[in-house]
Amino acid sequence: MNKAGVNKRMKGRKKFTLLCAGAMALIVIAASKMMLQAETSEKINSRGTIRYTDKSGAEVLFDAGDLEMLFQSAAKGKNGMIQALSGIGTNFFKTEERWQYSAYPEREAETVSLQSAEELSEMTFNILGEALADSQKLPQEYTDTYSLATSDNLTLGNAAWADGSLLLGNNHDVLENYAKGWMEGAGYQSMQAIKDENGNVTGYLFE
């Protein structure tokens, strides 16, 4: 077979390969749509007692029981967050205007359960989100008495959450106080910490 014939045959194979790739892509897209439809039909179990036609002319089936299903789903999600926040000391209470929250480290939180549609609508996800963001912060009432924890004032081997961050104690405060006591006892006037490339204190220089 001459060179022209080989090239023609190879071009034919390339076209066939491209066509196969295109067909596979269509199959994947079709399968994805079928899976999405199957998942949707499993999640929404409508009895179809309410029927109406949307703007596109398609018939839509809906059931009054679906409203109860959606209500229970939302209530379960919100109550789950409330219970989780209660476990870490965030209290929820209702005023005349809205739901509120506060955190007291020394007191166990009160668990609130949403029951009615009114309570469910008043306890918005914005309130829950704010409570979640503030749950790991030092409450305003304690800022004058307590200082926020850092790795430098936690003993080695201890850990704590502060302002949403996990802190691992490095024993810096213990070593520094020991060094200050030794400096005063030895008659030195000043000291300087020696740190490694990671910022950890490895020793002190005294003058």
Side-chain angles (χ1 to χ4, degrees):
M1 183 180 294
N2 57 29
K3 187 175 181 181
V6 172
N7 289 337
K8 186 175 181 181
R9 188 175 178 182
M10 290 300 293
K11 286 180 180 178
R13 287 183 180 177
K14 288 181 181 178
K15 289 181 181 178
F16 178 74
T17 303
L18 291 173
L19 287 173
C20 287
M24 285 299 295
L26 291 174
I27 291 172
V28 170
I29 293 171
S32 300
K33 287 183 178 179
M34 290 174 65
M35 289 175 64
L36 182 60
Q37 290 172 357
E39 289 177 2
T40 305
S41 63
E42 288 177 2
K43 291 178 182 176
I44 303 176
N45 247 338
S46 177
R47 298 177 185 175
T49 56
I50 300 174
R51 299 167 181 255
Y52 67 95
T53 304
D54 63 14
K55 293 181 180 180
S56 65
E59 185 181 37
V60 180
L61 306 181
F62 197 74
D63 182 78
D66 296 336
L67 296 175
E68 178 64 21
M69 178 189 68
L70 294 173
F71 174 83
Q72 293 298 335
S73 178
K76 183 178 180 181
K78 290 184 178 181
N79 281 325
M81 288 188 68
I82 290 172
Q83 291 177 8
L85 288 167
S86 295
I88 56 176
T90 297
N91 298 275
F92 287 91
F93 57 93
K94 190 177 181 181
T95 63
E96 294 182 358
E97 298 179 355
R98 55 168 276 181
W99 284 96
Q100 308 237 356
Y101 64 89
S102 61
Y104 297 92
E106 75 282 1
R107 190 174 71 189
E108 185 177 354
E110 303 169 6
T111 302
V112 175
S113 179
L114 306 178
Q115 301 293 335
S116 66
E118 181 181 4
E119 290 177 334
L120 188 66
S121 62
E122 289 176 346
M123 177 67 82
T124 65
F125 281 107
N126 286 338
I127 296 173
L128 293 169
E130 291 172 6
L132 180 62
D134 292 340
S135 64
Q136 295 298 305
K137 294 181 180 179
L138 184 67
Q140 189 66 34
E141 299 91 329
Y142 297 94
T143 54
D144 294 334
T145 310
Y146 295 87
S147 60
L148 196 64
T150 66
S151 294
D152 287 342
N153 58 26
L154 288 177
T155 306
L156 185 67
N158 289 341
W161 283 96
D163 272 3
S165 299
L166 177 62
L167 305 175
L168 304 177
N170 58 20
N171 226 29
H172 175 72
D173 53 340
V174 176
L175 293 174
E176 187 174 43
N177 288 328
Y178 176 82
K180 285 181 179 178
W182 190 89
M183 178 187 69
E184 293 173 0
Y188 288 99
Q189 299 298 317
S190 63
M191 68 179 194
Q192 182 180 357
I194 303 172
K195 298 182 179 180
D196 60 17
E197 61 275 7
N198 296 319
N200 299 317
V201 177
T202 58
Y204 291 88
L205 288 176
F206 300 91
E207 294 180 357

